[in-house]
Amino acid sequence: MDAFYASVELRRRPELKGKPVVVCGTGPRAVVTTASYEARRLAGIHSAMPAAVARRRLPNAEYLRPDFTAYREASAQVMAILRRNAETVEVVGLDEAYVDLTGVFSPKAAMRRIAAEIREETQLTCSIGISESRMLAKVVSELGKPAGLVVLSRAEALERFSGDSPGLIPGIGPKSVAKLEAMGIRTLAELRAVGPATLEAAFGPRQGRWLHRRGRLEDDTPVAVSHETKSQSAETTFDVDVGDRGEMEGHVVRLTEQLCRRLRKRDLAGRSVGIKVRLDDWTNVTRSRTVEAPTNDPDLVGAVAIELLRAYDPPRPVRLLGVRVAGFDAAERDAAGDDAGPQLQLGLAA
């Protein structure tokens, strides 16, 4: 979906169309959730940018607080249209999905019709990429934004993206890009030319082989119709760093209650309880412990989380705290709606 949260806001505030709109929180550490294309073009505002930076760059933009209830409702409309038109749909977020077009006589025509239905019924637009794998569909969908539809084969993509940074590929992050650049590998063509042994020596066997395949734009990763729920978490970023241990433990209790309410609502219980701590210098630390039986009991989860926090004893003030439960039983995952499905081949991306 194109600038999804901002587009939902513009749908109910048509007087703002054509103006720069930024969806973000109001706290000192709030970040941009999304921005309209006008805000992107005028000031380079993008998702995850600190809201304070966005306000300095574009003080006259319209800044709106996120309304996730409205976004979930709009997402449900869009996904219902996809499921109405295709047998296999994988939803990977409120604003992104993959559709299997295997056996469709004219995939491009089919997706033009679906995009038109989305626009007509929701007043929202999407950008579509059609290719031979999930990874390429995701990359290709970015080429036509907004409201575009691009079809590109792997052979065509190898040529088109040969001069692009490896960071173009989903999963190759800034740290990997920097390490590749230090090795003299700055483009996908250069990555493709490097033997797997060199990459394995630098990144380890598993990641090295993965990078070698991604450099060749190869991806046969099976995709599930709906993602298996592996863990659930609740976390909070503080406006002011927290140094008091009692205050930290109070936040852990509240996060645990929030998380366990969600687990009980989905009939999920897990055997692994963990915490996440981000210090004021951005050091991230995680700790976890396995309990005897699957649980979603806030008393037990909270007790374990507080024990983990006390054992770690943060040496500096804390910027973020989180509580996580993982290790769900297969039967519980099934009850929550998680199952496997065939390869999907078309991406609609945020």
Side-chain angles (χ1 to χ4, degrees):
M1 302 303 296
D2 295 323
F4 182 57
Y5 299 163
S7 297
V8 173
E9 297 293 349
L10 290 171
R11 183 175 67 172
R12 58 185 178 180
R13 294 177 173 87
E15 70 276 7
L16 297 180
K17 287 187 177 179
K19 298 179 180 180
V21 173
V22 181
V23 180
C24 63
T26 57
R29 288 177 173 165
V31 297
V32 172
T33 305
T34 194
S36 68
Y37 288 100
E38 290 79 8
R40 300 181 193 192
R41 286 193 294 266
L42 285 170
I45 295 175
H46 56 79
S47 299
M49 173 184 283
V53 173
R55 292 177 188 274
R56 286 196 299 269
R57 287 191 183 185
L58 204 59
N60 296 325
E62 188 76 23
Y63 288 88
L64 304 175
R65 291 178 62 88
D67 181 351
F68 286 99
T69 299
Y71 308 151
R72 282 191 289 269
E73 291 173 354
S75 175
Q77 286 182 287
V78 171
M79 301 312 167
I81 294 169
L82 291 178
R83 293 188 177 105
R84 188 174 72 207
N85 285 277
E87 290 186 8
T88 307
V89 177
E90 178 190 13
V91 177
V92 294
L94 291 180
D95 58 354
E96 185 171 349
Y98 294 88
V99 179
D100 184 2
L101 297 177
T102 304
V104 175
F105 175 72
S106 177
K108 193 171 182 179
M111 289 313 303
R112 284 197 189 281
R113 175 174 50 78
I114 290 174
E117 289 185 23
I118 290 173
R119 184 194 293 267
E120 179 180 351
E121 296 183 27
T122 71
Q123 293 80 55
L124 301 170
T125 65
C126 61
S127 292
I128 298 166
I130 301 177
S131 194
E132 299 160 29
S133 70
R134 169 180 172 149
M135 177 196 70
L136 279 175
K138 167 74 170 175
V139 172
V140 169
S141 70
E142 299 289 340
L143 297 176
K145 282 190 161 295
L149 188 156
V150 180
V151 182
L152 207 64
S153 69
R154 174 176 171 270
E156 292 167 332
L158 284 170
E159 180 177 352
R160 177 158 187 167
F161 301 129
S162 62
D164 283 87
S165 165
L168 176 76
I169 303 301
I172 302 182
K175 291 183 179 180
S176 295
V177 169
K179 191 169 182 178
L180 288 168
E181 288 180 348
M183 298 168 62
I185 302 169
R186 293 176 172 80
T187 68
L188 283 169
E190 292 171 343
L191 178 58
R192 191 158 60 248
V194 176
T198 300
L199 295 171
E200 289 176 28
F203 290 90
R206 184 175 178 180
Q207 189 179 4
R209 288 192 296 270
W210 184 88
L211 282 169
H212 182 255
R213 297 200 67 219
R214 288 303 184 270
R216 297 168 58 84
L217 302 185
E218 294 176 350
D219 175 31
D220 57 4
T221 306
V223 182
V225 172
S226 50
H227 286 303
E228 179 180 292
T229 303
K230 296 182 179 179
S231 67
Q232 291 277 303
S233 63
E235 61 183 45
T236 185
T237 300
F238 305 117
D239 291 342
V240 178
D241 298 328
V242 175
D244 180 77
R245 295 297 188 272
E247 186 177 352
M248 291 182 200
E249 291 184 11
H251 286 296
V252 167
V253 170
R254 285 188 287 275
L255 289 168
T256 298
E257 291 172 348
Q258 174 187 336
L259 172 60
C260 288
R261 278 197 302 271
R262 194 189 323 146
L263 292 176
R264 290 194 296 271
K265 187 175 181 180
R266 297 190 62 190
D267 293 323
L268 289 171
R271 297 189 63 223
S272 176
V273 176
I275 61 169
K276 175 181 177 181
V277 181
R278 179 175 296 155
L279 303 179
D280 62 349
D281 63 356
W282 286 84
T283 298
N284 289 312
V285 175
T286 59
R287 296 286 187 270
S288 64
R289 180 178 300 167
T290 301
V291 296
E292 290 185 2
T295 184
N296 56 23
D297 179 356
D299 291 336
L300 175 57
V301 173
V304 173
I306 288 174
E307 286 179 10
L308 291 170
L309 181 67
R310 290 174 178 173
Y312 169 53
D313 190 20
R316 302 174 60 91
V318 169
R319 180 185 181 93
L320 174 149
L321 275 175
V323 180
R324 178 176 64 92
V325 172
F328 302 126
D329 282 350
E332 290 168 326
R333 289 197 300 265
D334 291 342
D338 301 304
D339 56 358
Q343 180 78 18
L344 306 177
Q345 297 179 329
L346 178 139
L348 290 84

